[in-house]
Amino acid sequence: MTFDNARGRSTPYRPSPTSPNVSATPSVVQSLQLHSGSAVPFSVEFSPPRDAAGEERLWRAVRTFERMHPAFISMTYGAGGTTRDHTVRITGELAEETTLLPVAHLTAVEHSVAELRSIVGAYADSGIRNILVLRGDPPGDPLGEWHKHPDGVEYAEELVRIVRDLGDFHVGVASFPQGHHRSPDLDHDTAHLAAKLRAGAEYSITQMFFDVEHYLRLRDRLVAFDSVEGAKPIIPELMPITSLRTVKRAEELCGRPLPQAVLDRLHRAAGNGAEEDRAAVREVGIQIATEMGQRLIDEGAPCLHFITLNFAKATSEVLTNLGYGVTAAPVSA
């Protein structure tokens, strides 16, 4: 659907004559099934680069992971649409120029419903069928007060319905192992997740976490609350820590402090010198991510989703430790 401001009503979204056939691409859930033959699938997340050098680095990482055949890749979306055109362009190029399955992020921050429909249409014109829907964080301060756009939506559940109503799209949502920082309690948070899934989302990707027990309890809570929605994949999100500076970044992305046991290991590795022992911190960070990945595999996680920050090396090392490597592409039955 698109929004006709002059008439104040919704009209069907019509792809341009040159639009790729989005219905020909698999959904994330289908891709997970295709990639689950001999190992738990993995996926990776990228962010829109800020300049030409960053774009070159992104594409080097993309080509590295392409040889390892992730189930999908995702591209984040700047707060308030700050990277909107750039994001749409690069995500479209990933769809057109690689063998990878891209998932586009879409947030409601500072967007009207009409703008949201236009963005989804632009994704469709680029051949994007899979969209990860997020309400999003306030620009400049992820933990700041949320303000709805006057002509926008209040909750991700509404955004799920908008995207599903626009055509042949497959939608994922966010889930929060420790609960969203704006939720009053875990029961309230679980109810919101179930509502997003009932609205038409097919899976969720968790916020980053550093205690696997939080992921397992989230899974248990959702199944207990709604066994039907609890059967949908909950994909855990991981990020290898490579320096103490990335600890701060990880905590910003988590919205929570890292577990004290994890911080203790990293600070011991950093040493007591004037400068941290970055090589030792990085080694411990890789160990922690590997340990978490193996536990998640053992506990039946449907996929491992890695935040890469547009670098390939650390995530590739974790994947290698877990037995992944350059492989032949999966073949559909």
Side-chain angles (χ1 to χ4, degrees), residues 151-216:
D151 299 314
V153 298
E154 181 72 30
Y155 297 109
E157 176 188 351
E158 300 169 82
L159 191 48
V160 172
R161 296 185 191 281
I162 288 172
V163 175
R164 289 301 303 267
D165 286 346
L166 286 171
D168 189 15
F169 295 100
H170 292 273
V171 179
V173 293
S175 52
F176 301 89
Q178 294 173 266
H180 192 280
H181 63 272
R182 292 186 176 87
S183 289
D185 53 52
L186 291 177
D187 289 341
H188 187 268
D189 187 79
T190 304
H192 268 289
L193 174 56
K196 291 188 289 187
L197 293 167
R198 289 171 185 157
E202 300 172 8
Y203 63 95
S204 72
I205 298 178
T206 73
Q207 187 179 52
M208 191 195 335
F209 58 91
F210 286 86
D211 184 341
V212 174
E213 287 298 321
H214 292 313
Y215 168 82
L216 299 177

Side-chain angles (χ1 to χ4, degrees), residues 257-291:
L258 268 63
Q260 191 59 50
V262 171
L263 290 173
D264 289 345
R265 289 177 66 179
L266 294 169
H267 283 292
R268 282 197 300 270
N272 299 317
E275 295 186 5
E276 69 176 279
D277 185 340
R278 291 194 61 176
V281 171
R282 186 182 186 282
E283 181 179 357
V284 169
I286 298 295
Q287 290 173 357
I288 291 170
T290 300
E291 292 164 8

Side-chain angles (χ1 to χ4, degrees), residues 17-265:
T18 58
S19 296
N21 181 9
V22 294
S23 63
T25 59
S27 69
V28 163
V29 173
Q30 289 169 334
S31 187
L32 293 181
Q33 295 168 346
L34 178 63
H35 284 76
S36 62
S38 59
V40 171
F42 79 95
S43 55
V44 292
E45 177 179 297
F46 300 115
S47 302
R50 297 181 179 179
D51 51 32
E55 193 159 338
E56 289 181 8
R57 185 175 73 241
L58 166 67
W59 279 97
R60 286 195 297 271
V62 166
R63 294 307 182 188
T64 296
F65 288 117
E66 189 172 23
R67 296 194 298 272
M68 301 179 76
H69 304 291
F72 64 92
I73 60 172
S74 69
M75 177 63 69
T76 64
Y77 187 85
T82 53
T83 59
R84 168 180 163 175
D85 294 340
H86 200 42
T87 301
V88 172
R89 174 181 65 82
I90 291 177
T91 311
E93 289 174 355
L94 290 170
E96 295 168 5
E97 300 177 22
T98 75
T99 59
L100 300 167
L101 176 67
V103 175
H105 287 214
L106 179 68
T107 76
V109 179
E110 297 188 353
H111 283 316
S112 68
V113 171
E115 289 172 332
L116 291 166
R117 287 173 170 148
S118 175
I119 296 164
V120 174
Y123 280 138
D125 285 339
S126 296
I128 306 300
R129 183 188 182 192
N130 292 280
I131 298 179
L132 184 70
V133 163
L134 312 158
R135 186 172 80 163
D137 295 318
D141 181 6
L143 301 181
E145 186 176 355
W146 161 262
H147 294 287
K148 172 183 174 291
H149 186 285
D151 299 314
V153 298
E154 181 72 30
Y155 297 109
E157 176 188 351
E158 300 169 82
L159 191 48
V160 172
R161 296 185 191 281
I162 288 172
V163 175
R164 289 301 303 267
D165 286 346
L166 286 171
D168 189 15
F169 295 100
H170 292 273
V171 179
V173 293
S175 52
F176 301 89
Q178 294 173 266
H180 192 280
H181 63 272
R182 292 186 176 87
S183 289
D185 53 52
L186 291 177
D187 289 341
H188 187 268
D189 187 79
T190 304
H192 268 289
L193 174 56
K196 291 188 289 187
L197 293 167
R198 289 171 185 157
E202 300 172 8
Y203 63 95
S204 72
I205 298 178
T206 73
Q207 187 179 52
M208 191 195 335
F209 58 91
F210 286 86
D211 184 341
V212 174
E213 287 298 321
H214 292 313
Y215 168 82
L216 299 177
R217 300 294 78 76
L218 165 65
R219 195 169 63 178
D220 292 344
R221 287 196 303 274
L222 184 59
V223 169
F225 185 85
D226 187 324
S227 60
V228 173
E229 304 307 327
K232 294 179 178 178
I234 302 176
I235 300 172
E237 182 175 74
L238 307 172
M239 187 179 83
I241 296 292
T242 56
S243 70
L244 293 184
R245 185 178 65 178
T246 57
V247 169
K248 180 179 179 181
R249 177 60 174 154
E251 290 182 334
E252 290 175 351
L253 293 170
C254 286
R256 308 278 184 176
L258 268 63
Q260 191 59 50
V262 171
L263 290 173
D264 289 345
R265 289 177 66 179

